[in-house]
Amino acid sequence: MVITSNVDDLASNVPIPGRQEEVIRTVRLSSPDTINRAPSATPFQKHTVTWKGPIQALFGYSLHDVEPSEDWWLDQIHPEDRDDVLESLTRHLIAAPERPFAAESRIWGPDYRFRHADGTYVLTSDRTITTRDQHGNAIMFESVLFDKEARRNERAYHAKNLKSLDRLALVTNNTPSGIFMMDPQVVYGHQQDGTAAKNESEIFVHKDGHHYDIEYSVSPLGDYASGGAVIEFRDVTEQKKVERERLNAVLITEQQSIRIKADDVHKANMTSFVSFICHEIRNPLQGITSSAEFLLETLQKLDALANRLPLAGNDKNIAGDFANLATQADVSDPIYKSVETHTNHHSSSGAGIPTADVHARTEINDLISHAKQLVGNIQTCTEHQALITNNVLDLSRLDAGKMELLLEVVNIPALGQQTVEMMLAKARDKHINLTMTEGRPRTLYLKADATVLRQVLLNLVSNAIKFTPENGQILVDLYADPPSDNGRVILHGSVTDNGLGMSELEQRKLFQRFSQANQKVAQLYGGSGLGLSISKELVRVMGGEIHVQSTQGVGSTFSFTSVHDQPANEEISKFGPQYRHIGSTLDGAHTNSESESRKPEAELDNPTPKFRMIGVAEDNPINLQYLAKNLKKLGYQYTLCVNGKGLLDRFCEPGNTIDCCILDISMPVMDGLEAARLMREHEVSLSVDGMPPRRTPMIAMSGNAMTQQVTDALSAGISSYLIKPCKQADLARTLAHWEHIVHTGAEHQPLTARQRQDP
């Protein structure tokens, strides 16, 4: 087999001459003028002329011989042709405002005799393209000059040669594409080097009427005008289709990327908005919660005092009863003073209380009882509002994909028992028997996020209590499978009740946001329809799934799984005994039931010394007032400031006795973060002889709950982060913890209320 590189082996290939020399003359006009001039002048006044190209080869002049004016060009035209050329050019340059871009307004192509440098004349073709402005005035024209006779001879030469050339050789030697031909004996190949091709796209019409896309290449044979060209075209319908699909896919990807970016921006804006709104909700909730606590306490005092008021004929017991009351009540309390005045009046008068006072006291007792119910309603509404706020924040965090598990060593059975204890009060209100499954091991240490796991259990138990009738049964179960080969453990949890139960249709509606299985039941029992949805997503974050099995009228079982790592032995050994019943991190924010049922985590057998002076910075006057009352009730001395600057100044005073600080974060003048940072710097400045500085416990109490906000607070030197609304029990627990740390000299490790962090 023979391979050739050129089809010249098949047919002779006569060389095709190239295009003849062309000279380009460019004239730029700055002041178009159509006034008739003398025959020796051009029809315009101000202009610039440039020549380029092989003028010497064509006309014998060097560029130095050529004058940059149209008069020189006109002088070289044969006298017999000059007037016709001048008249034709004058007509062409007349303004054409109606059709400034029409072909007749742009193209001028005379033939004339042009004097050669040797004195002879060359028959010259002048092909001029004129550029006009929007008003049709000529502003520039460019002329291509060539030897007309030589061009005519060139075309005749090409026409003669085309008849003698092998057509196949002509095509293959002038196409930009590589061509191969094969037969059993010989393979012929060709690739033309340096072939100039003009590639274009077009739409062809088939003889059957349908349209299809083509691409074609035009390769000149010498001069287009004289030699012709080889035109190669290809059907690219399928190629165009693939390209359109590719571009469409790119467009869809770009649009999706834009939507994702827009969604990210929207989510970020919504996260900030939700966080701001919830912060603004939490501040008044703190005031409402504290007001309800103190109002209930006041009513209890009033009830006790009213029951001690003497009846008629029992005046002799007044002094003794009142003395007993004085030991139980705050002598500065307005109620105490009112009863004292009332008692002294009757004692000094020596008169007994009228019998009608018996009825009055009964009415007072009834009013107090009713007031207690109203306070209970306020507390219930506040708790519900706080729950909704936290649920919205949880959803925002989950939607933003910022739910991160904070893993620690957790004793799973203890956590389950704690959850049950937290919900016992609500269960007892309905005489429901809420218990843990018996017979399970009392210790099971896993690495888990205690807050997230507790929240799932609380949601499921709360849901079971809500839909279980009085005298019902609820059973909570937690157990784990043996570790797998990779050391991971699957935890199983379930909450079973003998409540209302659900149909299959109702079960399919579960775990959807703002959706409840039965609207009539929802109207009766209330709820936002968020708890189960949040639980499902939290379980998914823990690597598990949640399911329900229910029979209408019999009861329901909600079960879930989660995946955990086993802690190392040294991690378990470091698991402090004061935390071993749950996890290694103190939670500063709990549900209301939890606050009522849990004992302080830092509670010791022997009481520890209390803080001598607590510095408080809070800009909300109502919250500041109730915070002072709480501290007073807990037995603390305190100093109050309305911003961080005030607390900083007192903290830095020589001889100050402040050994604990409580700060709001968002305050005017100076916020809590800046104040904490500067107080820590002050502590460092007081350290001597390389000793570590004293670290005063600094407790943040704020409505800000975003993860980044909590992190920033801890970085600024905050020791504990409590999130509003914060009950008195939460504050007492945190203060007791830090009193224990200070008294024992234990390591100062910051604590956070992770349960209520926003995204």
Side-chain angles (χ1 to χ4, degrees), residues 300-355:
Q300 290 170 347
K301 292 179 181 179
L302 183 59
D303 191 18
L305 290 171
N307 288 331
R308 297 292 185 92
L309 284 176
L311 298 176
N314 292 331
D315 297 25
K316 59 182 180 180
N317 297 325
I318 292 178
D321 289 340
F322 188 78
N324 292 332
L325 288 175
T327 62
Q328 304 174 22
D330 185 353
V331 294
S332 64
D333 196 305
I335 296 176
Y336 176 88
K337 293 181 178 180
S338 175
V339 175
E340 180 184 26
T341 302
H342 179 79
T343 304
N344 291 338
H345 169 73
H346 284 283
S347 297
S348 61
S349 65
I353 299 177
T355 307

XYZ file of all heavy atoms in Angstrom, residues 300-355:
411
model
N -49.129 34.845 96.834
C -48.976 33.823 97.873
C -48.781 34.465 99.247
O -49.341 34.005 100.251
C -47.792 32.924 97.524
C -48.043 32.025 96.320
C -46.801 31.324 95.838
O -45.681 31.685 96.239
N -46.973 30.333 94.970
N -48.011 35.548 99.297
C -47.857 36.278 100.556
C -49.195 36.875 101.008
O -49.563 36.804 102.186
C -46.826 37.398 100.392
C -45.398 36.928 100.184
C -44.486 38.131 100.003
C -43.050 37.708 99.758
N -42.173 38.887 99.556
N -49.910 37.463 100.062
C -51.189 38.078 100.386
C -52.181 37.041 100.884
O -52.942 37.276 101.834
C -51.743 38.800 99.152
C -53.056 39.569 99.328
C -52.913 40.646 100.395
C -53.483 40.185 98.009
N -52.138 35.871 100.262
C -53.028 34.793 100.683
C -52.700 34.365 102.113
O -53.585 34.161 102.959
C -52.864 33.612 99.727
C -53.946 32.561 99.924
O -54.986 32.884 100.540
O -53.753 31.421 99.460
N -51.405 34.247 102.389
C -50.995 33.858 103.741
C -51.393 34.921 104.765
O -51.907 34.608 105.852
C -49.492 33.630 103.783
N -51.202 36.180 104.432
C -51.561 37.258 105.353
C -53.065 37.337 105.559
O -53.559 37.557 106.671
C -51.020 38.585 104.828
C -49.493 38.755 104.875
C -49.078 40.012 104.141
C -48.996 38.795 106.310
N -53.835 37.149 104.506
C -55.295 37.215 104.611
C -55.823 36.100 105.496
O -56.761 36.290 106.283
C -55.926 37.142 103.227
N -55.218 34.931 105.376
C -55.659 33.806 106.208
C -55.303 34.017 107.682
O -55.903 33.394 108.563
C -55.036 32.500 105.706
C -55.654 32.055 104.395
O -56.821 32.344 104.128
N -54.869 31.362 103.576
N -54.332 34.875 107.954
C -53.942 35.130 109.331
C -54.748 36.270 109.975
O -54.621 36.511 111.168
C -52.445 35.493 109.388
C -51.512 34.378 108.914
C -51.521 33.181 109.874
N -50.541 32.181 109.460
C -49.299 32.135 109.901
N -48.889 33.024 110.776
N -48.479 31.204 109.479
N -55.513 36.999 109.175
C -56.285 38.107 109.753
C -57.280 37.559 110.771
O -57.989 36.578 110.500
C -57.028 38.874 108.655
C -56.179 39.812 107.785
C -57.035 40.411 106.690
C -55.543 40.903 108.618
N -57.370 38.180 111.979
C -58.259 37.656 113.039
C -59.716 37.929 112.747
O -60.077 38.881 112.060
C -57.791 38.412 114.275
C -57.288 39.716 113.735
C -56.657 39.394 112.410
N -60.551 37.057 113.229
C -61.994 37.270 113.158
C -62.439 38.046 114.399
O -61.672 38.280 115.328
C -62.719 35.925 113.086
C -62.409 35.049 111.857
C -63.131 33.722 111.984
C -62.807 35.771 110.587
N -63.732 38.436 114.418
C -64.270 39.193 115.565
C -64.115 38.387 116.856
O -64.389 37.182 116.891
C -65.751 39.516 115.336
N -63.678 39.055 117.933
C -63.520 38.411 119.240
C -62.176 37.755 119.427
O -61.890 37.211 120.465
N -61.337 37.764 118.370
C -60.029 37.130 118.476
C -58.906 38.161 118.443
O -57.819 37.896 117.956
C -59.822 36.110 117.334
C -60.751 34.915 117.476
O -61.118 34.571 118.594
N -61.110 34.315 116.356
N -59.186 39.393 118.970
C -58.207 40.474 118.904
C -56.915 40.124 119.631
O -55.846 40.582 119.276
C -58.782 41.754 119.527
C -59.994 42.247 118.765
O -60.628 41.402 118.125
O -60.258 43.455 118.816
N -57.032 39.294 120.659
C -55.852 39.006 121.467
C -54.803 38.210 120.694
O -53.646 38.160 121.074
C -56.245 38.230 122.712
C -56.933 36.897 122.388
C -57.354 36.199 123.672
C -58.042 34.868 123.351
N -58.464 34.189 124.597
N -55.251 37.582 119.578
C -54.304 36.791 118.799
C -53.609 37.599 117.699
O -52.748 37.078 117.005
C -55.009 35.596 118.147
C -55.564 34.640 119.195
O -54.938 34.471 120.254
N -56.703 34.042 118.914
N -54.040 38.858 117.535
C -53.526 39.645 116.405
C -52.023 39.832 116.504
O -51.268 39.598 115.562
C -54.238 41.019 116.345
C -55.704 40.815 115.971
C -53.543 41.914 115.336
C -56.489 42.110 115.929
N -51.594 40.295 117.679
C -50.169 40.607 117.828
C -49.296 39.376 117.600
O -48.280 39.434 116.913
C -49.929 41.194 119.218
N -49.723 38.253 118.155
C -48.927 37.034 117.992
C -48.876 36.564 116.557
O -47.824 36.192 116.043
N -50.042 36.611 115.892
C -50.075 36.177 114.491
C -49.216 37.081 113.615
O -48.492 36.621 112.735
C -51.517 36.171 113.972
C -52.317 35.039 114.593
O -51.674 34.086 115.094
O -53.553 35.107 114.571
N -49.332 38.363 113.895
C -48.574 39.287 113.056
C -47.068 39.140 113.285
O -46.269 39.265 112.363
C -49.017 40.731 113.330
C -48.402 41.702 112.363
C -48.914 41.818 111.078
C -47.311 42.469 112.716
C -48.359 42.706 110.175
C -46.746 43.348 111.822
C -47.279 43.482 110.545
N -46.685 38.857 114.505
C -45.261 38.638 114.787
C -44.733 37.442 114.010
O -43.606 37.458 113.504
C -45.064 38.440 116.290
N -45.569 36.393 113.927
C -45.151 35.229 113.141
C -45.004 35.576 111.669
O -44.102 35.110 110.980
C -46.152 34.078 113.317
C -46.120 33.507 114.728
O -45.089 33.568 115.406
N -47.248 32.960 115.176
N -45.947 36.428 111.164
C -45.890 36.821 109.750
C -44.628 37.628 109.460
O -44.046 37.535 108.388
C -47.128 37.651 109.377
C -48.449 36.883 109.288
C -49.583 37.849 109.029
C -48.375 35.847 108.196
N -44.225 38.445 110.447
C -43.069 39.318 110.231
C -41.809 38.517 109.953
O -40.902 38.978 109.261
C -42.872 40.221 111.442
N -41.742 37.335 110.479
C -40.552 36.501 110.255
C -40.567 35.872 108.871
O -39.548 35.388 108.413
C -40.482 35.386 111.308
O -41.629 34.532 111.173
C -40.451 35.973 112.714
N -41.715 35.872 108.179
C -41.836 35.213 106.877
C -41.889 36.197 105.723
O -41.668 35.831 104.582
C -43.104 34.342 106.832
C -43.167 33.308 107.946
C -44.500 32.580 107.953
O -45.182 32.543 106.943
N -44.871 32.021 109.099
N -42.214 37.479 106.002
C -42.434 38.433 104.919
C -41.331 39.474 104.896
O -40.617 39.691 105.862
C -43.795 39.115 105.097
N -41.200 40.128 103.765
C -40.277 41.249 103.597
C -40.913 42.474 104.234
O -41.982 42.921 103.805
C -40.026 41.481 102.098
C -38.995 42.548 101.863
O -38.572 43.198 102.823
O -38.617 42.726 100.678
N -40.271 43.035 105.270
C -40.878 44.149 106.007
C -41.034 45.380 105.132
O -41.797 46.291 105.458
C -40.049 44.485 107.262
C -40.085 43.335 108.256
C -38.602 44.824 106.879
N -40.283 45.428 103.992
C -40.436 46.566 103.087
C -41.541 46.343 102.071
O -41.865 47.226 101.288
C -39.120 46.825 102.350
O -38.795 45.715 101.529
N -42.134 45.139 102.083
C -43.194 44.815 101.131
C -44.431 45.646 101.438
O -44.875 45.732 102.576
C -43.526 43.316 101.235
C -44.323 42.852 100.032
O -45.369 43.452 99.772
O -43.866 41.895 99.380
N -45.038 46.299 100.411
C -46.255 47.097 100.631
C -47.374 46.309 101.285
O -48.150 46.835 102.078
C -46.629 47.551 99.222
C -45.356 47.506 98.458
C -44.576 46.364 99.027
N -47.472 45.021 100.981
C -48.541 44.205 101.576
C -48.328 44.082 103.078
O -49.254 44.195 103.882
C -48.569 42.813 100.921
C -48.922 42.954 99.440
C -49.534 41.893 101.624
C -48.881 41.662 98.689
N -47.068 43.868 103.486
C -46.755 43.758 104.923
C -47.143 45.048 105.630
O -47.778 45.036 106.677
C -45.260 43.469 105.084
C -44.806 43.419 106.532
C -44.854 42.222 107.256
C -44.345 44.563 107.165
C -44.438 42.174 108.578
C -43.934 44.521 108.485
C -43.977 43.328 109.195
O -43.568 43.281 110.496
N -46.772 46.200 105.051
C -47.075 47.476 105.699
C -48.576 47.706 105.801
O -49.090 48.221 106.790
C -46.412 48.614 104.923
C -44.881 48.580 104.997
C -44.260 49.729 104.230
C -42.744 49.715 104.362
N -42.125 50.834 103.613
N -49.330 47.309 104.747
C -50.783 47.504 104.769
C -51.418 46.674 105.875
O -52.260 47.150 106.641
C -51.377 47.124 103.408
O -52.774 47.186 103.445
N -50.995 45.409 105.988
C -51.569 44.542 107.023
C -51.155 45.030 108.405
O -51.919 44.996 109.365
C -51.137 43.079 106.793
C -51.622 42.200 107.934
C -51.693 42.581 105.473
N -49.905 45.531 108.535
C -49.433 46.045 109.821
C -50.298 47.221 110.275
O -50.732 47.298 111.429
C -47.972 46.479 109.701
C -47.400 47.039 111.004
C -45.996 47.549 110.814
O -45.655 47.932 109.660
O -45.227 47.575 111.786
N -50.596 48.138 109.349
C -51.437 49.292 109.692
C -52.826 48.846 110.111
O -53.405 49.317 111.103
C -51.537 50.236 108.483
O -50.215 50.644 108.124
C -52.375 51.456 108.807
N -53.387 47.889 109.338
C -54.732 47.388 109.635
C -54.753 46.718 111.017
O -55.658 46.942 111.821
C -55.137 46.383 108.545
C -56.498 45.784 108.770
N -57.649 46.463 108.466
C -56.857 44.576 109.271
C -58.688 45.695 108.765
N -58.234 44.533 109.251
N -53.724 45.946 111.335
C -53.668 45.238 112.610
C -53.503 46.200 113.784
O -54.171 46.090 114.811
C -52.512 44.229 112.593
O -52.682 43.361 111.481
C -52.492 43.405 113.860
N -52.600 47.152 113.646
C -52.371 48.124 114.720
C -53.625 48.940 115.025
O -53.915 49.280 116.169
C -51.223 49.059 114.350
C -49.886 48.331 114.340
O -49.761 47.286 114.978
N -48.912 48.873 113.631
N -54.394 49.230 113.958
C -55.610 50.023 114.152
C -56.603 49.276 115.041
O -57.143 49.815 116.005
C -56.239 50.334 112.790
C -57.630 50.917 112.910
N -57.858 52.215 113.346
C -58.840 50.359 112.670
C -59.167 52.440 113.358
N -59.782 51.326 112.946
N -56.792 48.004 114.746
C -57.761 47.235 115.539
C -57.238 46.949 116.937
O -58.002 46.903 117.906
C -58.109 45.918 114.814
C -59.034 46.140 113.659
N -60.367 46.355 113.816
C -58.782 46.193 112.317
C -60.936 46.512 112.619
N -59.982 46.413 111.695
N -55.947 46.766 117.079
C -55.393 46.490 118.406
C -55.500 47.707 119.307
O -55.841 47.607 120.483
C -53.925 46.070 118.281
O -53.836 44.877 117.551
N -55.238 48.908 118.753
C -55.294 50.125 119.566
C -56.710 50.514 119.923
O -56.982 51.079 120.970
C -54.610 51.276 118.813
O -55.293 51.523 117.593
N -57.643 50.190 119.065
C -59.038 50.571 119.340
C -59.681 49.633 120.341
O -60.689 49.952 120.958
C -59.849 50.578 118.041
O -59.925 49.272 117.518
N -59.104 48.430 120.440
C -59.669 47.459 121.377
C -60.960 46.862 120.894
O -61.603 46.092 121.584
N -61.351 47.222 119.698
C -62.629 46.721 119.176
C -62.378 45.484 118.328
O -61.373 45.372 117.632
C -63.326 47.799 118.358
N -63.269 44.568 118.399
C -63.160 43.373 117.569
C -63.532 43.662 116.126
O -64.200 44.647 115.822
N -63.094 42.787 115.228
C -63.414 42.946 113.804
C -64.852 42.509 113.596
O -65.266 41.446 114.069
C -62.471 42.086 112.952
C -61.025 42.547 113.171
C -62.833 42.154 111.495
C -60.003 41.721 112.443
N -65.641 43.325 112.896
C -67.055 42.970 112.662
C -67.173 41.625 111.964
O -66.293 41.190 111.230
C -67.557 44.114 111.782
C -66.597 45.235 112.017
C -65.285 44.603 112.294
N -68.340 41.009 112.202
C -68.598 39.709 111.570
C -68.590 39.808 110.056
O -68.246 38.851 109.360
C -69.955 39.163 112.051
O -69.981 39.162 113.468
C -70.196 37.766 111.521
